[in-house]
Amino acid sequence: MNTPSINKAKIRNKEIVNKINYEIDDKYLNIGKNKTYYIKTYGCQMNERDSENICAMLESIGYSRIDKYEDADFIILNTCAIRENVHNKVFGMLGRIKHLKETKEDVIVGVCGCMSQEEIVVNKIKDKYKWINFVFGTHNLHKLPEIIFNSINNNRQEIDVWSKEGDIVEGIPIHRENKYKAWVNIIYGCDKFCTYCIVPFTRGKERSRDKEDIINEVKELVKEGYKEVTLLGQNVNAYGKDKYDNYNMSNLLNDISKTNIERIKFVTSHPWDFTDDMILEIKNNKNILPYIHLPVQSGSNKILKLMGRRYTKETYLELFNKLKDNIPNCSITTDIIVGFPGETEEDFNETLDLVNECKFDSAYTFIYSPRSGTASSRLIDDISIEEKENRLYKLNEIVNKYAREKMDKTVGNIYKVLVESESNKNGMLMGYTETGKLVNLKGDISLIGKIIDVKIIESRTWSLYGEHIQ
Ligand code: 5AD
Ligand code: SF4
């Protein structure tokens, strides 16, 4: 049994990260023959991307996917640890699965993802959820077939969570969810240690993939007809720093642009290492979309310092304005946390001022949630839940006002839209503009998978309606 340790997960050292290729032993190949699986994914794009590997590994050993957990022979939850409310959702789901297991004893249940990397979660599972068959973490995803095999053969709860990140594993099978848009990992882990954030503990130190592996993956995607890639990392701007002396995120953007994939996006960017060279690449390459997610977290310098964010309101604004000045029609979105320990009414008002100044295209807003083991969890959480909710409400009102204004301004204009699928609005298609705005439009299904010109005729807060211009 390998259980996680928050202290070991904190350690950063200079050990070389090796690259290995995924391999599967023949003895695992029939584990899931004639059996079904159900997967539920919580959290960020990184988890969605991991689930695409999990699905393909399960399918490679015989399982086939179904949408109702009640009917499945195998259930896996890919979890997220970022806030307590996600924890609660996962434990709520486990409660429902426990009921199922009371009448359907031989269903196999596994938990993976970021929550599995948390000491308190694994201790709770060992004590109170003995019926869960196996738990594994983010660093040994590629071991899934072996973990299932061991859990079935040893007939005991199998816990295999590594606290320290392992090697970079290439060649894990993948079952991509979307036929036109693909996620491409470029860097794993995070070394920033923002004081509120659990991610550096659950995802390990920063490890960049080889540039050749990334570029080849994108070239393959182009051949397969993909139109868009989103480059993924907790902090993509750190790409290359752990690996190359003279190759960084701006070089990677340039090389990926040359593959001629039609659309390139990247998330998430930390403002601290967003370089001028990156701005130039976005400006100069038509296929790098003018769409940047740039989390600010707070507009108060006092709170930014307590969060360990390494920038001030002023330097954030300087970068924000540089992006707006250099990249025509650039859309910028952000993340904001309210109710961080010590946040006064004045600090909160500074956040509102910053939102009023930046007028973000949209923002993900959160109530601060203390995470066990992080530096800020030792600060006194001194703001009442009513006050936190009140601040979130006020913030959302302003955020939504600007989001709506941005949507309204699109009416009458023509945008390039990548048509993805039929829409849930009757008889319509849906797709996204270059700046991530959802558009519903009338048109023939033969348009699916194409990038077309669409004139916007109506706007709502979260979506637009348009017509195809030929
Ligand atoms: N509490 C609330 N929000 C958090 N985030 C990360 N950690 C926490 C936390 N402990 C938010 C940040 C981050 C986004 C992915 O989640 O805004 O950018
Ligand atoms: Fe968390 Fe900060 Fe790393 Fe983002 S940059 S994953 S907020 S520690």
Side-chain angles (χ1 to χ4, degrees), residues 264-411:
I264 301 162
K265 300 198 295 194
F266 52 94
V267 280
T268 286
S269 290
H270 190 297
W272 195 67
D273 34 20
F274 206 118
T275 61
D276 288 355
D277 286 344
M278 280 179 65
I279 300 178
L280 273 180
E281 291 301 336
I282 305 167
K283 179 179 172 171
N284 293 340
N285 292 295
K286 251 184 62 202
N287 55 354
I288 306 179
L289 299 187
Y291 177 33
I292 293 154
H293 186 59
L294 195 67
V296 65
Q297 313 297 2
S298 168
S300 149
N301 284 339
K302 180 188 98 189
I303 297 298
L304 287 172
K305 194 155 189 213
L306 285 172
M307 288 176 162
R309 287 292 288 178
R310 308 174 187 213
Y311 55 82
T312 60
K313 171 175 74 181
E314 291 74 20
T315 53
Y316 181 90
L317 283 171
E318 199 182 309
L319 173 61
F320 181 93
N321 290 325
K322 215 190 286 178
L323 288 164
K324 286 277 178 190
D325 291 346
N326 280 284
I327 305 166
N329 303 318
C330 174
S331 132
I332 301 181
T333 57
T334 200
D335 290 345
I336 298 171
I337 298 175
V338 298
F340 188 84
E343 185 189 70
T344 60
E345 192 67 31
E346 218 172 34
D347 295 317
F348 174 63
N349 284 333
E350 287 193 63
T351 298
L352 297 185
D353 290 346
L354 183 118
V355 173
N356 280 319
E357 187 161 348
C358 294
K359 304 182 175 61
F360 295 104
D361 282 62
S362 81
Y364 298 93
T365 56
F366 310 102
I367 286 179
Y368 169 70
S369 172
R371 311 310 300 135
S372 166
T374 60
S376 74
S377 68
R378 292 189 287 275
L379 299 173
I380 298 167
D381 190 8
D382 53 355
I383 306 161
S384 70
I385 185 66
E386 291 76 25
E387 183 55 30
K388 286 177 181 164
E389 280 171 357
N390 194 14
R391 287 183 192 174
L392 186 70
Y393 182 83
K394 273 195 198 155
L395 174 63
N396 283 343
E397 267 191 335
I398 300 184
V399 162
N400 294 347
K401 181 181 93 173
Y402 290 118
R404 180 70 207 237
E405 270 180 29
K406 292 275 157 81
M407 295 298 252
D408 290 346
K409 275 194 188 146
T410 62
V411 176

Side-chain angles (χ1 to χ4, degrees), residues 9-14 165 190-191 193 200-201 204-206:
K10 248 184 231 173
I11 297 169
R12 292 293 184 267
N13 54 30
K14 295 240 175 276
E165 63 286 332
C190 181
D191 291 345
F193 286 99
F201 304 92
K205 75 170 178 181
E206 285 172 0

Side-chain angles (χ1 to χ4, degrees), residues 110-127:
V111 174
C112 65
C114 286
M115 270 171 72
S116 311
Q117 295 292 141
E118 291 185 277
E119 235 170 286
I120 44 165
V121 170
V122 171
N123 288 339
K124 186 166 165 178
I125 289 180
K126 273 177 13 194
D127 280 357

Side-chain angles (χ1 to χ4, degrees), residues 249-259 281 285 288:
M249 183 59 179
S250 66
N251 305 115
L252 183 70
L253 282 173
N254 186 283
D255 278 337
I256 293 184
S257 171
K258 286 191 208 135
T259 65
E281 291 301 336
N285 292 295
I288 306 179

Side-chain angles (χ1 to χ4, degrees), residues 190 192-194 196-197 199-200 234-235 270 297 309:
C190 181
K192 287 282 185 289
F193 286 99
C194 299
Y196 51 82
C197 188
V199 168
Q234 300 297 342
N235 174 21
H270 190 297
Q297 313 297 2
R309 287 292 288 178

Side-chain angles (χ1 to χ4, degrees), residues 73-133:
D73 301 305
F74 180 99
I75 299 175
I76 185 157
L77 305 186
N78 188 7
T79 63
C80 164
I82 203 118
R83 281 172 294 276
E84 195 60 29
N85 57 356
V86 193
H87 264 215
N88 297 341
K89 276 189 206 159
V90 171
F91 280 109
M93 183 67 191
L94 285 173
R96 290 193 288 284
I97 297 172
K98 181 170 185 252
H99 269 296
L100 178 73
K101 208 155 163 149
E102 278 160 7
T103 52
K104 203 177 159 193
E105 231 176 73
D106 46 359
V107 56
I108 296 174
V109 182
V111 174
C112 65
C114 286
M115 270 171 72
S116 311
Q117 295 292 141
E118 291 185 277
E119 235 170 286
I120 44 165
V121 170
V122 171
N123 288 339
K124 186 166 165 178
I125 289 180
K126 273 177 13 194
D127 280 357
K128 301 201 178 112
Y129 292 77
K130 293 190 178 18
W131 53 269
I132 291 179
N133 299 77

